[in-house]
Every structure is written in C-alpha cells, then in structure tokens.
Amino acid sequence: MQTLYVTPNANNSTESTTDPAPAIRTHRLTKSYGRARGIVDLDLEIHHGEVFGYLGPNGAGKTTTIRLLLDFLRPTSGSAEVLGLDARANSVEIRRQVGYLPGELDLYSTMTGGELLTYFGNLRGGVEPARVEELARRLELDLDRHIKNLSKGNKQKVGIVQAFMHEPQVLILDEPTSGLDPLVQLEFQAFVHEATARGATVFLSSHVLSEVEEVAHRVGIVREGRLVVVEDVRSLKSKAMRSLEIRFAKPVPPDTFSGMDNVEARVDDGVAYITVQGSVDPVIKQAARFEVRDVISHEADLEEIFLSYYREPGRAQ
C-alpha cells in the first residue's frame, strides 16, 4: 500500500490561475517496468479550473501516471509538469500545492481521525480546525474514533478530508469514492464543484464512470499504457452510438434507412430499430417522410463509451 505523503507548507502558497502554463502537462511521458506495462508516450494538458477524468481498468497505467506526477516514481523518458513546475526538480514545491488521495490508504492506525488530520495540518504549516470540522461534518465522519476502528468507507473519508482541507490549487485523486455510500459520494461531488469554483484543478482517476460523467469537463481514456482519446465529455457522447426505436403509423419500406452514413437499421413492419453514430438529424428527417407515432432514444452514457474503446482493439483517436 502507498503511504500518504504530506509536505510542510508554511504559507499555503498557490499558483496564479492566470499563469499560461497548464495546471498539469506531460510530454511523451513513459515508464517501463521491463516486460510489465507502464505508460508510453503520454501527452496531456490539463487546464486550470477543470475536472479531468482519467479512465482505464486496473493495470492500464492510471496510478503509474499519478506517481510520476508526484515524483513517487521516476520516468524512463519524457517529462511532467504540475503548475508549471518540473515534477522531478520541483517535487517538494509541487506537493505543497497539491491535495493527494492515493488509491490505497495507509494511515497511522493508533491515532484518531482528528489527531491524524491535525498532524497532517501541522505538517502543512497549519490548517484551520473549523475547516476540518466542516468537511468531517459534511461527510458524517466521527473524528474521535481511532483509525484502526474505522470501516474502509470512514478511512476513505479521512483521506478525502486531508486532500481538501488546505484548499490546494491541484487535487490528484485516485479512486476517491472507493467504499463510500451513494449519499457520501454526492457530498464528495459537491467538494469537487466547490474546488473548481475557486479555480482549482482536479485530476480524477476513477472506476465509477457515472461519477466522472457527473463532475468531469474532459476525460482521457488509457488503454494498455497508451492514451487512446482525450475529449470533452459532451463531445465524446455526441460522437457515440445512439439507439433509436421509431414506431410508424403504418408499415414502411424495409430500405427506408438504407445507404445512410453511420447508420445501421432494421425495419420490422411498422417499427425501425436504428443505431447511429453522431447526429441523429438525418435519421429523423428521413423518418419524417412517414407518419411517426413514437420515438424512443437511448443516448450512450460514459460507461458504454468507455467500454467501446476496450471492445475495439484498433480504435483510437
């Protein structure tokens, strides 16, 4: 398990959001573990004030990327910057300005949650106790209980509080809602929205695709160590396959939708079952040549889009 690392921060300094450098940037970032997969030629630019969802199954390279950004690992080649600072040369300064939640928490079990957060706050040069208490209250976290007696979900709450409590310029969160119930997940999403409202950047690695869809501005999908797509969430969904079921008042010709680009259709008497990639406008206009009784549309969600990149080995953008 990875131990939580907090660097002292005497003045809680922040990087100006007007700085032209991206909040996070990598250039051909590569980490090789020999025969084992790491990441290969990763090029990313993440803007100030955005939530970037980083998606991929276990072993795809998500945690490796995070550890390289924080200098917990050294790259085989390439470079990474956080807030315009080189991830290797300026790792201490970067950690001062980052809130980090590792995918596997390893906390001091003999402390209470309150004692642990006070300890972390002191390492950072001081965090307002009222801020810690507010975050804990919103997550329904009992700060008086010892870490060793906490459930996985409550330990995760401690990790979330320590990541957000000093209002960092960048939040790097690896599977942040693991073990949390749905109501607490909603409160976590509120934390994220509040952070970006004040200009912070959130790098969010998660398997909970519905959560990423809710909070992310853009997503990157990594497959076998390589980035296969970076896209605005809305744009990505607009390009995805949609399913339409169109019911007509009378039977229509079986070739009604034949020859249309990016459209597959099966017409069964008075019902057309259609899949379309991209805009549905041409399909609707074609259907309007006949009397339509009902249209049922299913828009792909982020999970379906994500899975499509794993079902199609040759697909990349």
Side-chain angles (χ1 to χ4, degrees), residues 55-72:
L55 307 177
N58 289 333
K62 304 190 305 300
T63 297
T64 293
T65 302
I66 288 172
R67 290 173 176 170
L68 289 167
L69 291 175
L70 294 171
D71 199 39
F72 295 143

Side-chain angles (χ1 to χ4, degrees), residues 42-97:
L42 180 69
D43 287 323
L44 272 180
E45 283 199 2
I46 302 174
H47 312 308
H48 292 276
E50 81 165 324
V51 181
F52 186 85
Y54 198 47
L55 307 177
N58 289 333
K62 304 190 305 300
T63 297
T64 293
T65 302
I66 288 172
R67 290 173 176 170
L68 289 167
L69 291 175
L70 294 171
D71 199 39
F72 295 143
L73 290 175
R74 292 291 172 88
T76 304
S77 60
S79 63
E81 295 177 1
V82 179
L83 295 170
L85 302 171
D86 182 82
R88 292 186 60 181
N90 304 107
S91 60
V92 173
E93 179 60 26
I94 287 170
R95 291 172 191 167
R96 287 193 176 105
Q97 301 187 55

Side-chain angles (χ1 to χ4, degrees), residues 135-290:
L135 295 175
R137 176 187 57 78
R138 291 172 62 181
L139 294 176
E140 299 183 352
L141 171 64
D142 184 353
L143 295 177
D144 294 326
R145 295 187 63 189
H146 284 84
I147 299 297
K148 63 184 177 182
N149 296 326
L150 294 181
S151 65
K152 173 179 171 57
N154 281 312
K155 289 177 182 176
Q156 193 73 3
K157 293 176 187 179
V158 174
I160 290 171
V161 172
Q162 68 77 32
F164 282 84
M165 65 184 183
H166 58 296
E167 298 189 335
Q169 274 297 103
V170 172
L171 285 140
I172 297 179
L173 310 173
D174 194 355
E175 302 294 343
T177 60
S178 175
L180 300 184
D181 66 51
L183 289 178
V184 177
Q185 289 181 27
L186 288 176
E187 195 61 44
F188 165 79
Q189 291 174 21
F191 286 8
V192 171
H193 289 307
E194 290 162 13
T196 55
R198 62 173 173 80
T201 301
V202 180
F203 184 94
L204 174 62
S205 170
S206 178
H207 282 100
V208 185
L209 300 183
S210 60
E211 170 184 88
V212 175
E213 184 173 4
E214 178 66 27
V215 300
H217 301 97
R218 292 188 302 149
V219 297
I221 297 176
V222 61
R223 174 187 174 129
E224 297 181 351
R226 293 183 181 272
L227 194 65
V228 295
V229 64
V230 174
E231 190 85 66
D232 175 270
V233 172
R234 290 183 180 179
S235 176
L236 190 63
K237 290 177 69 175
S238 73
K239 297 175 183 178
M241 298 294 292
R242 300 186 188 186
S243 299
L244 296 174
E245 182 178 323
I246 304 177
R247 297 183 177 274
F248 297 94
K250 298 178 181 179
V252 298
D255 61 351
T256 296
F257 301 96
S258 297
M260 300 184 69
D261 292 338
N262 301 317
V263 174
E264 294 183 7
R266 175 174 63 86
V267 178
D268 185 4
D269 200 17
V271 182
Y273 303 93
I274 301 169
T275 57
V276 55
Q277 184 172 18
S279 174
V280 299
D281 184 63
V283 174
I284 298 301
K285 288 178 178 176
Q286 182 73 353
R289 297 171 53 211
F290 307 92

